[in-house]
Amino acid sequence: MALKKEDRRQNILSVLSERESIDTQELASLMDVSLVTLRRDLRDLQKSGLLINGYGVVRAVNQETDPNSFFLRRLRVERESKEIIASKAIEYVEENDVLFIDESTTCYVFALKLSRAFKKLHIITNGINILLALSKIQGFSVESSGGSLQYGFDSLIGPRAESLVSSIYANKFFFSAASFRSKIGTFELSPFSASIKRKMLLNSSERILLIDSSKFDVIAPFKMAEVGEINRVITEEKDFIPSLHS
């Protein structure tokens, strides 16, 4: 008799509690399910921050030692707001768009929704987790910025990343920020994040900020975008054009 969905997913987590990683084909065999069913389970478990699935391998998340744990903790903060923002943001995407997407957790949620809403997109990102999430999507052309890994942010930064981004032009840049100040612009916690996002912004024709209201007017040290450079701000409450927003 086939297992119920929740029992099946609990069994997946039990296997990963004993083995840090496992090939998806082997896991499907152990669970006695099709790859289609397994991938659906893995997608939902990954969204919940319980595992990482990519390149044919499923990996357990150890919240104490796994380098992705900081990303996963950030992903859970204001998660409902991020889901709302991401759902609204896909309305500004069209098939065949060329998109820059930053490494933020809000853009990670956005990327997951893109994978279910579109058939053909070209995406350039410096986000490790976004690359993993989109690695198996047929019809998507997904490009890594390359560069050096920024520990704790799960992002690629540095001169090599900035050089590649500077050689590509995107029609839309979707990004988040550590802080948004309505009369000034966006700010980042890392100068390296600010620098590569700046390159993306300068090489895109439309700049769309995805940010929850908890980040309004907080303090972050490194300026990235002037308010007049942002075409649209999408929050969980409303969308607005910042230059017209009082």
Side-chain angles (χ1 to χ4, degrees), residues 157-189:
I157 47 91
R160 282 180 295 170
E162 292 181 18
S163 176
L164 184 139
V165 166
S166 295
S167 70
I168 298 172
Y169 196 85
N171 54 316
K172 292 164 188 171
F173 174 35
F174 289 89
F175 66 107
S176 192
S179 170
F180 173 67
R181 299 170 70 180
S182 61
K183 298 185 184 302
I184 304 173
T186 68
F187 295 79
E188 299 296 328
L189 296 173

Side-chain angles (χ1 to χ4, degrees), residues 26-239:
E26 183 181 356
L27 184 57
S29 179
L30 284 173
M31 295 295 105
D32 193 25
V33 295
S34 69
L35 277 172
V36 171
T37 297
L38 179 65
R39 286 172 181 147
R40 189 161 52 239
D41 289 340
L42 295 177
R43 181 192 65 207
D44 291 342
L45 288 168
Q46 178 169 275
K47 283 178 65 178
S48 299
L50 297 171
L51 54 78
I52 294 173
N53 176 38
Y55 301 103
V57 175
V58 184
R59 185 157 62 89
V61 170
N62 181 329
Q63 291 299 322
E64 299 301 319
T65 61
D66 196 292
N68 289 284
S69 61
F70 179 59
F71 176 87
L72 293 167
R73 287 197 298 271
R74 290 191 293 119
L75 184 61
R76 293 188 184 103
V77 174
E78 301 289 346
R79 181 60 188 255
E80 185 177 349
S81 294
K82 290 171 184 176
E83 293 282 351
I84 294 169
I85 291 165
S87 294
K88 293 165 71 173
I90 64 172
E91 297 176 12
Y92 297 95
V93 179
E94 298 177 356
E95 292 285 357
N96 298 303
D97 270 349
V98 179
L99 309 178
F100 280 136
I101 302 177
D102 79 6
E103 78 280 9
S104 64
T105 54
T106 302
C107 282
Y108 173 79
V109 177
F110 171 62
L112 293 177
K113 292 187 182 294
L114 288 176
S115 70
R116 297 190 287 271
F118 294 92
K119 295 180 179 178
K120 189 174 182 181
L121 294 171
H122 189 96
I123 295 170
I124 307 96
T125 182
N126 69 321
I128 297 295
N129 294 290
I130 292 174
L131 289 169
L132 286 171
L134 299 180
S135 64
K136 299 295 183 181
I137 307 301
Q138 289 187 338
F140 280 25
S141 171
V142 183
E143 192 87 33
S144 165
S145 66
S148 302
L149 179 64
Q150 183 173 210
Y151 181 79
F153 289 83
D154 292 340
S155 62
L156 296 166
I157 47 91
R160 282 180 295 170
E162 292 181 18
S163 176
L164 184 139
V165 166
S166 295
S167 70
I168 298 172
Y169 196 85
N171 54 316
K172 292 164 188 171
F173 174 35
F174 289 89
F175 66 107
S176 192
S179 170
F180 173 67
R181 299 170 70 180
S182 61
K183 298 185 184 302
I184 304 173
T186 68
F187 295 79
E188 299 296 328
L189 296 173
S190 160
F192 307 108
S193 292
S195 184
I196 186 146
K197 289 185 185 186
R198 183 75 190 161
K199 296 291 185 183
M200 291 180 180
L201 181 138
L202 292 175
N203 269 34
S204 56
S205 58
E206 188 173 356
R207 299 85 174 255
I208 301 174
L209 175 63
L210 313 182
I211 192 163
D212 66 79
S213 57
S214 71
K215 295 178 180 177
F216 281 23
D217 298 318
V218 302
I219 300 299
F222 301 104
K223 182 74 172 291
M224 196 288 281
E226 299 287 345
V227 68
E229 294 175 317
I230 303 167
N231 298 105
R232 184 171 298 276
V233 177
I234 300 177
T235 77
E236 72 275 25
E237 297 173 353
K238 60 182 178 180
D239 305 356

